[in-house]
Amino acid sequence: MTLSPTPIHEAVREHYAERARKADSCCGSACGCSNDLYDSSLISDLPVDIADFTLGCGDPITLAELRPGETVLDLGSGGGLDCFLASRLVGPTGRVIGVDMTPEMLAKANANAQRLNVSNVEFRKGYLEALPVDDASVDVVISNCVINLSPDKPQVFREIFRVLKPGGRVAVSDIVTNGALPEPVQKSMEAWGACVAGALEMSEYVGGLRAAGFAGVRIQPKGNTDQAPASLPIGVPFSAIVTASKPLFKLIAPAHHSRP
Ligand SMILES: C[S@@+](CC[C@H](N)C(=O)[O-])C[C@H]1O[C@@H](n2cnc3c(N)ncnc32)[C@H](O)[C@@H]1O
């Protein structure tokens, strides 16, 4: 499927092209802006510039509980850190695909892959809304602080559903809100690029995934599993973890037979 990029895509692409050029690992105030997102045991043996180049807001790798042999798709792979971490966990019999729309990010990810000499990771140019990935070909979809940047989240959720195998799972870190953001923030293109303006309300996120066909959808603030949604500040973006799975079977409504 081809996609005509929207002005939001263009603004976001320019924002991240600049980050890739400057090797700047801070996407904005809502993101983690450092490599303390991961347990040090995961990243300590990587070259420091690769380990430090994260624009994420969480650790989808630990969340995903990856197993040897699995095929993993990373949405908005940036400099490739999550793909490299996933590649070690799925091992030589598994594979990892990173998709990103920003050529500067893809160039950085490919250069990093060469330095690390990884053979089971591949980066593809494309949009979350039209993934360059076959139907039912992926075991796990991960993503780190990217879905909030999409101008068409329902389409992203449909695409994730399409590429996952039946029984496949979603493990995502993202920025969300509890209640609407202030209107000037919603309209700011800068705030969109900084992972703020495009943040969905938690209930919309859950509803969007369910509407796409997902089961077992869960969303909770990062690192604070006990916090009741009602106690979260209203209209303030925060980092959350999202999990869901694609049902093994399609549910078909029973046919109604009328008695003769
Ligand atoms: C906040 S950065 C996160 C990068 C990476 N996941 C990480 O944790 O460092 C967002 C990335 O997603 C990409 N991106 C944003 N919107 C996209 C879209 N609609 N389709 C494809 N890539 C997108 C950007 O180019 C950028 O590399």
Side-chain angles (χ1 to χ4, degrees):
M1 184 174 105
T2 50
L3 178 133
S4 306
T6 66
I8 288 180
H9 286 113
E10 306 290 7
V12 169
R13 182 166 39 221
E14 192 35 54
H15 185 95
Y16 288 100
E18 190 65 13
R19 294 295 167 285
R21 284 193 287 266
K22 287 187 180 162
D24 176 352
S25 69
C26 185
C27 72
S29 57
C31 299
C33 297
S34 75
N35 65 354
D36 58 9
L37 296 173
Y38 304 86
D39 189 282
S40 61
S41 62
L42 276 180
I43 55 172
S44 56
D45 60 335
L46 289 173
V48 82
D49 61 313
I50 295 179
D52 273 2
F53 191 79
T54 173
L55 297 154
C57 51
D59 168 10
I61 297 299
T62 303
L63 184 66
E65 299 182 348
L66 299 174
R67 297 185 281 267
E70 287 189 316
T71 297
V72 180
L73 171 65
D74 182 17
L75 306 182
S77 40
L81 178 59
D82 284 323
C83 291
F84 304 136
L85 298 177
S87 87
R88 302 204 268 211
L89 295 167
V90 300
T93 57
R95 60 196 287 247
V96 184
I97 302 163
V99 170
D100 205 290
M101 68 177 177
T102 304
E104 291 81 351
M105 279 296 178
L106 291 163
K108 191 173 182 68
N110 278 316
N112 286 342
Q114 264 198 342
R115 279 172 65 200
L116 295 175
N117 198 23
V118 287
S119 54
N120 61 349
V121 178
E122 174 196 350
F123 294 102
R124 298 185 188 169
K125 186 169 186 291
Y127 294 99
L128 267 58
E129 299 84 357
L131 289 168
V133 179
D134 289 342
D135 294 359
S137 61
V138 167
D139 296 294
V140 190
V141 168
I142 61 168
S143 186
N144 202 345
C145 221
V146 183
I147 295 173
N148 71 84
L149 295 166
S150 169
D152 189 352
K153 278 116 175 144
Q155 175 62 14
V156 175
F157 297 146
R158 285 191 291 272
E159 279 293 89
I160 298 174
F161 193 85
R162 176 182 68 76
V163 301
L164 274 173
K165 297 175 186 174
R169 60 195 192 278
V170 176
V172 161
S173 291
D174 208 356
I175 300 294
V176 299
T177 69
N178 179 36
L181 294 164
E183 222 177 285
V185 176
Q186 288 181 36
K187 289 186 177 149
S188 158
M189 211 47 110
E190 203 187 325
W192 197 289
C195 304
V196 175
L200 282 182
E201 287 190 43
M202 284 192 298
S203 56
E204 273 186 89
Y205 217 118
V206 172
L209 283 164
R210 284 189 184 144
F214 285 99
V217 182
R218 291 201 59 190
I219 185 163
Q220 59 194 56
K222 184 183 89 170
N224 192 347
T225 50
D226 295 332
Q227 193 162 7
S231 69
L232 292 164
I234 305 288
V236 177
F238 61 90
S239 177
I241 54 175
V242 184
T243 50
S245 56
K246 177 169 173 171
L248 270 173
F249 305 104
K250 209 177 200 169
L251 292 175
I252 298 169
H256 290 288
H257 297 289
S258 51
R259 284 170 188 259

